[in-house]
Amino acid sequence: MRYFEFVHNLGAHSWDIPTLIVVVILIIMILVHHTNQKKRQNDFEEELDKKIQEIREGKGMTGEENTIQAESNVEA
């Protein structure tokens, strides 16, 4: 009888509390995943920028010189 009163007086059902717990856990997982993904993306972009900079400095050529050399390599 107490369970019946609890359910009908508060409007809560036996599956409400587990559902709320699952929803909170899912929200936390989504936030953590989003944060980690953003960090991985930023790290990747920084590494890509460093590699591009190394390639440009290592060759010692401008963009036009790279294009001309690439065209001459294709013709050869």
Side-chain angles (χ1 to χ4, degrees):
M1 185 66 177
R2 288 187 181 197
Y3 178 74
F4 180 81
E5 290 174 3
F6 172 75
V7 168
H8 289 85
N9 289 340
L10 296 177
H13 295 280
S14 61
W15 49 266
D16 284 345
I17 293 174
T19 303
L20 288 173
I21 292 171
V22 168
V23 167
V24 168
I25 290 172
L26 284 174
I27 290 173
I28 291 170
M29 287 175 60
I30 289 170
L31 292 174
V32 168
H33 174 73
H34 177 74
T35 303
N36 289 341
Q37 184 65 23
K38 193 59 122 171
K39 184 180 181 299
R40 281 192 295 261
Q41 182 178 359
N42 290 339
D43 291 345
F44 174 76
E45 289 175 357
E46 287 176 7
E47 287 180 24
L48 184 62
D49 288 340
K50 285 179 185 176
K51 287 181 181 180
I52 290 173
Q53 193 65 25
E54 288 174 3
I55 290 171
R56 287 183 181 163
E57 290 174 357
K59 298 282 185 180
M61 298 181 195
T62 63
E64 281 184 33
E65 292 172 340
N66 283 337
T67 305
I68 292 170
Q69 183 181 11
E71 288 174 354
S72 66
N73 287 341
V74 170
E75 292 173 0

Coordinates of all heavy atoms in Angstrom, one line a residue:
M1 N 0.8 -1.2 0.0 CA 0.0 0.0 0.0 C 0.9 1.3 0.0 O 0.5 2.2 -0.6 CB -0.9 0.0 1.2 CG -1.9 1.1 1.3 SD -3.0 0.9 -0.1 CE -4.1 2.2 0.2
R2 N 2.0 1.2 0.7 CA 2.8 2.4 0.7 C 3.4 2.7 -0.6 O 3.6 3.9 -1.0 CB 4.0 2.2 1.8 CG 3.5 2.3 3.2 CD 4.6 2.2 4.1 NE 4.0 2.2 5.5 CZ 4.7 2.5 6.5 NH1 6.0 2.8 6.4 NH2 4.2 2.5 7.7
Y3 N 3.8 1.7 -1.3 CA 4.3 1.9 -2.7 C 3.3 2.5 -3.6 O 3.6 3.4 -4.3 CB 4.8 0.5 -3.3 CG 5.3 0.7 -4.7 CD1 6.5 1.2 -4.9 CD2 4.5 0.3 -5.8 CE1 7.0 1.4 -6.2 CE2 5.0 0.4 -7.1 CZ 6.3 1.0 -7.3 OH 6.7 1.1 -8.6
F4 N 2.0 2.1 -3.5 CA 1.0 2.7 -4.3 C 0.8 4.1 -3.9 O 0.7 5.0 -4.8 CB -0.4 1.9 -4.0 CG -1.5 2.4 -4.8 CD1 -1.7 2.1 -6.1 CD2 -2.4 3.3 -4.2 CE1 -2.8 2.6 -6.8 CE2 -3.5 3.8 -4.9 CZ -3.7 3.5 -6.2
E5 N 0.8 4.5 -2.7 CA 0.7 5.9 -2.2 C 1.9 6.7 -2.7 O 1.8 7.8 -3.2 CB 0.6 6.0 -0.7 CG -0.7 5.4 -0.2 CD -0.8 5.4 1.3 OE1 0.2 5.8 1.9 OE2 -1.8 4.9 1.8
F6 N 3.1 6.1 -2.6 CA 4.3 6.8 -3.1 C 4.2 7.1 -4.6 O 4.5 8.3 -5.0 CB 5.6 6.0 -2.8 CG 6.8 6.5 -3.4 CD1 7.5 7.6 -2.9 CD2 7.4 5.9 -4.5 CE1 8.6 8.1 -3.4 CE2 8.5 6.4 -5.1 CZ 9.2 7.5 -4.5
V7 N 3.8 6.2 -5.3 CA 3.8 6.3 -6.8 C 2.7 7.4 -7.2 O 2.9 8.2 -8.0 CB 3.5 5.0 -7.5 CG1 3.1 5.2 -9.0 CG2 4.7 4.1 -7.4
H8 N 1.6 7.3 -6.6 CA 0.5 8.1 -7.0 C 0.5 9.5 -6.4 O 0.0 10.5 -6.9 CB -0.9 7.4 -6.8 CG -1.1 6.3 -7.7 ND1 -0.6 5.0 -7.5 CD2 -1.7 6.2 -9.0 CE1 -0.8 4.2 -8.5 NE2 -1.5 4.9 -9.4
N9 N 1.0 9.7 -5.2 CA 1.1 11.0 -4.6 C 2.2 11.8 -5.2 O 2.0 13.0 -5.4 CB 1.3 10.8 -3.0 CG 0.1 10.3 -2.4 OD1 -1.0 10.4 -2.9 ND2 0.3 9.7 -1.2
L10 N 3.4 11.2 -5.4 CA 4.5 12.0 -6.0 C 4.5 12.0 -7.5 O 5.2 12.8 -8.1 CB 5.8 11.5 -5.5 CG 6.0 11.6 -4.0 CD1 7.3 10.9 -3.6 CD2 6.0 13.0 -3.5
G11 N 3.8 11.1 -8.1 CA 3.8 11.0 -9.6 C 5.0 10.3 -10.1 O 5.3 10.4 -11.3
A12 N 5.8 9.7 -9.2 CA 7.0 9.0 -9.6 C 6.7 7.5 -9.8 O 5.9 6.9 -9.1 CB 8.1 9.2 -8.6
H13 N 7.4 6.9 -10.8 CA 7.2 5.5 -11.0 C 8.6 4.8 -10.7 O 9.6 5.5 -10.5 CB 6.9 5.2 -12.5 CG 5.5 5.7 -12.8 ND1 4.4 5.1 -12.5 CD2 5.1 6.9 -13.4 CE1 3.3 5.8 -12.9 NE2 3.8 6.9 -13.5
S14 N 8.5 3.5 -10.6 CA 9.7 2.8 -10.2 C 10.9 2.9 -11.2 O 12.0 2.7 -10.8 CB 9.4 1.3 -10.0 OG 8.9 0.7 -11.2
W15 N 10.6 3.2 -12.4 CA 11.6 3.3 -13.4 C 12.1 4.8 -13.6 O 13.0 5.0 -14.4 CB 11.2 2.8 -14.8 CG 9.8 3.3 -15.2 CD1 8.6 2.7 -15.0 CD2 9.5 4.5 -15.9 NE1 7.6 3.5 -15.5 CE2 8.1 4.6 -16.1 CE3 10.3 5.5 -16.4 CZ2 7.5 5.6 -16.8 CZ3 9.7 6.6 -17.1 CH2 8.3 6.6 -17.3
D16 N 11.5 5.8 -12.9 CA 11.9 7.1 -13.1 C 13.4 7.4 -12.6 O 14.1 8.1 -13.2 CB 11.0 8.1 -12.4 CG 9.7 8.3 -13.1 OD1 9.6 7.9 -14.3 OD2 8.7 8.7 -12.5
I17 N 13.7 6.9 -11.4 CA 15.0 7.2 -10.8 C 16.1 6.5 -11.7 O 17.1 7.2 -12.0 CB 15.0 6.7 -9.3 CG1 14.1 7.6 -8.5 CG2 16.5 6.8 -8.8 CD1 13.9 7.2 -7.1
P18 N 16.0 5.2 -12.0 CA 17.1 4.7 -12.9 C 17.2 5.4 -14.3 O 18.3 5.6 -14.8 CB 16.6 3.2 -13.1 CG 15.7 2.9 -12.0 CD 15.1 4.2 -11.6
T19 N 16.0 5.9 -14.8 CA 16.1 6.6 -16.0 C 16.8 8.0 -15.8 O 17.6 8.3 -16.7 CB 14.6 6.9 -16.5 OG1 14.0 5.7 -16.7 CG2 14.7 7.6 -17.8
L20 N 16.6 8.6 -14.8 CA 17.3 9.9 -14.5 C 18.8 9.7 -14.3 O 19.6 10.5 -14.8 CB 16.7 10.6 -13.2 CG 15.3 11.2 -13.4 CD1 14.8 11.7 -12.1 CD2 15.3 12.3 -14.4
I21 N 19.1 8.6 -13.7 CA 20.6 8.3 -13.5 C 21.2 8.0 -14.9 O 22.3 8.5 -15.1 CB 20.7 7.0 -12.6 CG1 20.3 7.4 -11.2 CG2 22.1 6.5 -12.6 CD1 20.2 6.3 -10.2
V22 N 20.5 7.3 -15.7 CA 21.1 7.0 -17.1 C 21.2 8.3 -17.9 O 22.2 8.5 -18.5 CB 20.2 5.9 -17.8 CG1 20.6 5.9 -19.2 CG2 20.3 4.6 -17.1
V23 N 20.2 9.1 -17.8 CA 20.3 10.4 -18.5 C 21.4 11.3 -18.1 O 22.2 11.8 -18.9 CB 18.9 11.2 -18.4 CG1 19.1 12.6 -18.9 CG2 17.8 10.4 -19.2
V24 N 21.6 11.3 -16.8 CA 22.8 12.1 -16.2 C 24.1 11.5 -16.7 O 25.0 12.3 -17.1 CB 22.7 12.2 -14.7 CG1 24.0 12.7 -14.1 CG2 21.5 13.0 -14.2
I25 N 24.2 10.2 -16.7 CA 25.5 9.5 -17.1 C 25.7 9.8 -18.6 O 26.8 10.1 -19.0 CB 25.4 8.0 -16.8 CG1 25.5 7.8 -15.3 CG2 26.5 7.3 -17.5 CD1 25.3 6.4 -14.9
L26 N 24.6 9.7 -19.4 CA 24.8 10.0 -20.8 C 25.2 11.4 -21.1 O 26.1 11.7 -22.0 CB 23.5 9.7 -21.6 CG 23.2 8.2 -21.8 CD1 21.8 8.1 -22.4 CD2 24.2 7.6 -22.7
I27 N 24.7 12.4 -20.4 CA 25.1 13.8 -20.6 C 26.5 14.0 -20.2 O 27.3 14.6 -20.9 CB 24.1 14.7 -19.7 CG1 22.7 14.7 -20.4 CG2 24.7 16.1 -19.7 CD1 21.7 15.5 -19.6
I28 N 26.9 13.4 -19.1 CA 28.4 13.5 -18.7 C 29.3 12.8 -19.8 O 30.3 13.4 -20.1 CB 28.6 12.8 -17.3 CG1 27.9 13.6 -16.2 CG2 30.1 12.6 -17.0 CD1 27.8 13.0 -14.9
M29 N 28.9 11.7 -20.3 CA 29.7 11.0 -21.3 C 29.8 11.9 -22.6 O 30.8 12.0 -23.2 CB 29.1 9.7 -21.7 CG 29.3 8.6 -20.6 SD 28.4 7.0 -21.0 CE 29.2 6.6 -22.5
I30 N 28.7 12.5 -23.0 CA 28.7 13.3 -24.2 C 29.6 14.5 -24.0 O 30.4 14.9 -24.8 CB 27.3 13.8 -24.5 CG1 26.5 12.6 -25.1 CG2 27.3 14.9 -25.5 CD1 25.0 12.9 -25.2
L31 N 29.5 15.2 -22.8 CA 30.4 16.3 -22.5 C 31.9 15.9 -22.5 O 32.7 16.7 -23.1 CB 30.0 17.0 -21.2 CG 28.6 17.7 -21.2 CD1 28.3 18.1 -19.7 CD2 28.6 18.8 -22.1
V32 N 32.2 14.8 -21.9 CA 33.6 14.4 -21.8 C 34.1 14.0 -23.3 O 35.2 14.4 -23.6 CB 33.7 13.1 -20.9 CG1 35.1 12.5 -21.1 CG2 33.5 13.6 -19.5
H33 N 33.3 13.3 -24.0 CA 33.6 13.0 -25.4 C 33.9 14.3 -26.2 O 34.8 14.3 -27.0 CB 32.6 12.1 -26.0 CG 32.8 11.8 -27.5 ND1 33.8 11.0 -27.9 CD2 32.3 12.3 -28.6 CE1 33.8 11.0 -29.2 NE2 32.9 11.8 -29.7
H34 N 33.0 15.2 -26.1 CA 33.1 16.5 -26.9 C 34.4 17.2 -26.5 O 35.1 17.7 -27.4 CB 31.9 17.4 -26.6 CG 32.0 18.7 -27.3 ND1 31.8 18.8 -28.6 CD2 32.2 19.9 -26.8 CE1 31.9 20.1 -28.9 NE2 32.2 20.8 -27.9
T35 N 34.7 17.2 -25.2 CA 35.9 17.9 -24.8 C 37.2 17.2 -25.3 O 38.1 17.8 -25.8 CB 36.0 17.9 -23.2 OG1 34.8 18.6 -22.7 CG2 37.2 18.7 -22.7
N36 N 37.2 15.9 -25.2 CA 38.3 15.1 -25.7 C 38.5 15.2 -27.2 O 39.6 15.3 -27.7 CB 38.2 13.6 -25.3 CG 38.4 13.4 -23.8 OD1 38.9 14.2 -23.1 ND2 37.9 12.3 -23.3
Q37 N 37.4 15.2 -27.9 CA 37.4 15.3 -29.4 C 38.0 16.7 -29.8 O 38.8 16.8 -30.7 CB 36.0 15.1 -30.0 CG 36.0 15.1 -31.5 CD 36.8 13.9 -32.1 OE1 37.0 12.9 -31.4 NE2 37.2 14.1 -33.3
K38 N 37.5 17.7 -29.1 CA 38.0 19.1 -29.4 C 39.5 19.2 -29.1 O 40.3 19.8 -29.9 CB 37.3 20.1 -28.5 CG 37.4 21.5 -29.0 CD 37.0 21.7 -30.4 CE 35.9 22.7 -30.5 NZ 35.6 23.0 -31.9
K39 N 40.0 18.6 -28.0 CA 41.4 18.6 -27.7 C 42.2 17.8 -28.8 O 43.2 18.3 -29.3 CB 41.7 17.9 -26.4 CG 43.1 18.0 -25.9 CD 43.3 17.4 -24.6 CE 44.7 17.4 -24.1 NZ 45.7 16.8 -24.9
R40 N 41.7 16.6 -29.2 CA 42.4 15.9 -30.3 C 42.4 16.7 -31.6 O 43.5 16.6 -32.3 CB 41.7 14.5 -30.5 CG 42.0 13.5 -29.5 CD 41.5 12.1 -29.9 NE 40.1 12.1 -30.0 CZ 39.3 11.6 -29.0 NH1 39.8 11.1 -27.9 NH2 38.0 11.5 -29.2
Q41 N 41.4 17.3 -31.9 CA 41.3 18.1 -33.1 C 42.3 19.3 -33.1 O 43.1 19.5 -34.1 CB 39.9 18.7 -33.4 CG 39.8 19.4 -34.7 CD 38.3 19.9 -34.9 OE1 37.5 19.7 -34.1 NE2 38.1 20.6 -35.9
N42 N 42.4 20.0 -32.0 CA 43.4 21.1 -31.8 C 44.8 20.5 -31.9 O 45.7 21.1 -32.5 CB 43.1 21.8 -30.5 CG 41.9 22.6 -30.5 OD1 41.3 22.9 -31.6 ND2 41.3 22.9 -29.3
D43 N 45.1 19.4 -31.2 CA 46.4 18.8 -31.3 C 46.8 18.4 -32.7 O 47.9 18.7 -33.2 CB 46.5 17.6 -30.4 CG 46.5 17.9 -28.9 OD1 46.6 19.1 -28.6 OD2 46.2 17.0 -28.1
F44 N 45.8 17.8 -33.5 CA 46.1 17.4 -34.8 C 46.4 18.7 -35.7 O 47.3 18.6 -36.5 CB 44.8 16.7 -35.4 CG 44.9 16.4 -36.9 CD1 45.8 15.4 -37.3 CD2 44.2 17.2 -37.8 CE1 45.9 15.1 -38.7 CE2 44.3 16.9 -39.1 CZ 45.2 15.9 -39.6
E45 N 45.6 19.7 -35.5 CA 45.8 20.9 -36.3 C 47.2 21.6 -36.0 O 47.8 22.0 -36.9 CB 44.7 21.9 -36.1 CG 43.4 21.5 -36.7 CD 42.2 22.4 -36.4 OE1 42.4 23.4 -35.6 OE2 41.1 22.2 -36.9
E46 N 47.6 21.5 -34.8 CA 48.9 22.1 -34.4 C 50.0 21.2 -35.1 O 51.0 21.8 -35.6 CB 49.1 22.1 -32.9 CG 48.2 23.2 -32.2 CD 48.3 23.1 -30.7 OE1 49.2 22.3 -30.2 OE2 47.6 23.8 -30.0
E47 N 49.9 19.9 -35.0 CA 50.9 19.0 -35.6 C 50.9 19.3 -37.1 O 52.0 19.3 -37.7 CB 50.6 17.6 -35.3 CG 50.9 17.2 -33.9 CD 50.5 15.7 -33.6 OE1 50.6 14.9 -34.6 OE2 50.3 15.4 -32.5
L48 N 49.8 19.4 -37.7 CA 49.7 19.6 -39.2 C 50.4 20.9 -39.6 O 51.2 21.0 -40.5 CB 48.3 19.6 -39.7 CG 48.0 19.8 -41.2 CD1 48.6 18.6 -41.9 CD2 46.5 19.8 -41.4
D49 N 50.1 22.0 -38.8 CA 50.8 23.3 -39.0 C 52.3 23.2 -38.9 O 53.0 23.8 -39.7 CB 50.2 24.4 -38.1 CG 48.8 24.8 -38.4 OD1 48.4 24.5 -39.5 OD2 48.1 25.3 -37.5
K50 N 52.7 22.4 -37.9 CA 54.2 22.3 -37.7 C 54.8 21.5 -38.9 O 55.9 21.9 -39.4 CB 54.5 21.5 -36.4 CG 54.3 22.3 -35.1 CD 54.5 21.5 -33.9 CE 54.2 22.2 -32.6 NZ 54.4 21.4 -31.4
K51 N 54.2 20.5 -39.3 CA 54.7 19.7 -40.4 C 54.7 20.5 -41.7 O 55.7 20.5 -42.5 CB 53.9 18.4 -40.7 CG 54.1 17.4 -39.6 CD 53.3 16.2 -39.9 CE 53.6 15.1 -38.8 NZ 52.8 13.9 -39.0
I52 N 53.7 21.3 -41.9 CA 53.6 22.2 -43.1 C 54.8 23.2 -43.0 O 55.5 23.5 -44.0 CB 52.3 22.8 -43.3 CG1 51.2 21.8 -43.7 CG2 52.3 24.0 -44.3 CD1 49.8 22.3 -43.7
Q53 N 54.9 23.8 -41.9 CA 56.0 24.8 -41.7 C 57.4 24.1 -41.9 O 58.2 24.7 -42.5 CB 55.9 25.4 -40.3 CG 56.7 26.6 -40.1 CD 56.3 27.8 -40.9 OE1 55.1 27.8 -41.3 NE2 57.2 28.7 -41.2
E54 N 57.6 22.9 -41.4 CA 58.9 22.2 -41.6 C 59.1 22.0 -43.0 O 60.2 22.1 -43.5 CB 58.9 20.9 -40.8 CG 59.0 21.1 -39.3 CD 58.8 19.7 -38.6 OE1 58.7 18.7 -39.3 OE2 58.9 19.8 -37.3
I55 N 58.1 21.6 -43.8 CA 58.3 21.3 -45.2 C 58.6 22.6 -45.9 O 59.5 22.6 -46.8 CB 57.0 20.7 -45.8 CG1 56.8 19.3 -45.2 CG2 57.0 20.7 -47.3 CD1 55.4 18.6 -45.6
R56 N 57.9 23.7 -45.6 CA 58.3 24.9 -46.3 C 59.7 25.4 -45.9 O 60.4 25.9 -46.8 CB 57.2 26.0 -45.9 CG 55.9 25.8 -46.5 CD 54.9 26.9 -46.1 NE 53.6 26.6 -46.7 CZ 52.5 27.2 -46.4 NH1 52.5 28.1 -45.4 NH2 51.4 26.9 -47.0
E57 N 60.1 25.3 -44.7 CA 61.4 25.7 -44.3 C 62.5 24.8 -44.8 O 63.6 25.2 -45.2 CB 61.5 25.8 -42.8 CG 60.7 26.9 -42.2 CD 60.7 26.9 -40.6 OE1 61.3 26.0 -40.1 OE2 60.1 27.8 -40.0
G58 N 62.2 23.5 -44.9 CA 63.2 22.5 -45.3 C 63.5 22.7 -46.8 O 64.6 22.6 -47.2
K59 N 62.5 23.0 -47.6 CA 62.7 23.1 -49.0 C 63.3 24.5 -49.3 O 64.0 24.6 -50.3 CB 61.3 23.0 -49.8 CG 60.7 21.7 -49.6 CD 61.3 20.7 -50.5 CE 60.5 19.4 -50.4 NZ 61.0 18.3 -51.2
G60 N 63.0 25.5 -48.5 CA 63.5 26.8 -48.8 C 62.9 27.5 -50.0 O 63.6 28.3 -50.7
M61 N 61.7 27.1 -50.4 CA 61.1 27.6 -51.6 C 59.8 28.2 -51.3 O 59.2 27.9 -50.3 CB 60.8 26.4 -52.6 CG 62.0 25.7 -53.1 SD 61.5 24.4 -54.2 CE 62.9 23.4 -54.3
T62 N 59.4 29.1 -52.1 CA 58.1 29.8 -52.0 C 57.1 28.9 -52.7 O 57.4 27.9 -53.3 CB 58.1 31.2 -52.6 OG1 58.3 31.0 -54.0 CG2 59.1 32.1 -52.0
G63 N 55.8 29.3 -52.5 CA 54.8 28.5 -53.2 C 54.9 28.4 -54.7 O 54.6 27.4 -55.3
E64 N 55.3 29.5 -55.3 CA 55.5 29.6 -56.8 C 56.6 28.6 -57.2 O 56.5 27.9 -58.2 CB 55.8 31.0 -57.2 CG 54.6 31.9 -57.3 CD 54.9 33.2 -57.9 OE1 55.8 33.3 -58.8 OE2 54.3 34.2 -57.5
E65 N 57.7 28.6 -56.4 CA 58.8 27.8 -56.8 C 58.4 26.3 -56.7 O 58.8 25.5 -57.5 CB 60.0 28.1 -55.9 CG 60.6 29.4 -56.2 CD 61.7 29.8 -55.2 OE1 61.7 29.2 -54.1 OE2 62.5 30.7 -55.5
N66 N 57.6 26.0 -55.6 CA 57.2 24.6 -55.5 C 56.3 24.2 -56.6 O 56.4 23.1 -57.1 CB 56.4 24.4 -54.2 CG 57.3 24.4 -53.0 OD1 58.4 24.0 -53.1 ND2 56.7 24.7 -51.8
T67 N 55.4 25.1 -57.1 CA 54.5 24.8 -58.2 C 55.3 24.6 -59.5 O 55.1 23.6 -60.3 CB 53.5 25.9 -58.4 OG1 52.8 26.2 -57.2 CG2 52.6 25.6 -59.5
I68 N 56.3 25.4 -59.7 CA 57.1 25.3 -60.9 C 57.9 24.0 -60.9 O 58.0 23.3 -61.9 CB 58.1 26.5 -61.1 CG1 57.3 27.8 -61.3 CG2 59.1 26.3 -62.1 CD1 58.1 29.1 -61.2
Q69 N 58.5 23.7 -59.7 CA 59.3 22.4 -59.6 C 58.3 21.2 -59.8 O 58.7 20.2 -60.5 CB 60.0 22.3 -58.3 CG 60.8 21.1 -58.1 CD 61.5 21.0 -56.8 OE1 61.2 21.7 -55.9 NE2 62.5 20.1 -56.7
A70 N 57.2 21.3 -59.3 CA 56.2 20.1 -59.4 C 55.8 20.0 -60.9 O 55.7 18.8 -61.4 CB 55.0 20.4 -58.6
E71 N 55.6 21.1 -61.6 CA 55.3 21.0 -63.0 C 56.4 20.4 -63.8 O 56.2 19.6 -64.7 CB 54.9 22.4 -63.5 CG 53.5 22.8 -63.0 CD 53.2 24.2 -63.4 OE1 54.1 24.9 -64.0 OE2 52.1 24.7 -63.1
S72 N 57.7 20.8 -63.5 CA 58.8 20.3 -64.2 C 59.0 18.8 -63.9 O 59.4 18.1 -64.8 CB 60.1 21.1 -63.9 OG 60.4 20.9 -62.5
N73 N 58.7 18.4 -62.7 CA 58.8 16.9 -62.4 C 57.8 16.1 -63.1 O 58.1 15.0 -63.5 CB 58.6 16.7 -60.9 CG 59.8 17.2 -60.1 OD1 60.9 17.4 -60.6 ND2 59.6 17.4 -58.8
V74 N 56.6 16.7 -63.4 CA 55.6 16.0 -64.1 C 56.0 15.8 -65.6 O 55.8 14.8 -66.2 CB 54.2 16.7 -64.0 CG1 53.2 16.1 -64.9 CG2 53.7 16.6 -62.5
E75 N 56.5 16.9 -66.1 CA 56.9 16.8 -67.5 C 58.1 15.9 -67.8 O 58.2 15.3 -68.8 CB 57.3 18.2 -68.0 CG 56.1 19.2 -68.0 CD 56.5 20.6 -68.3 OE1 57.8 20.9 -68.5 OE2 55.6 21.5 -68.4
A76 N 59.0 15.7 -66.8 CA 60.2 14.9 -67.0 C 59.9 13.5 -66.9 O 59.1 12.7 -67.1 CB 61.2 15.2 -65.9

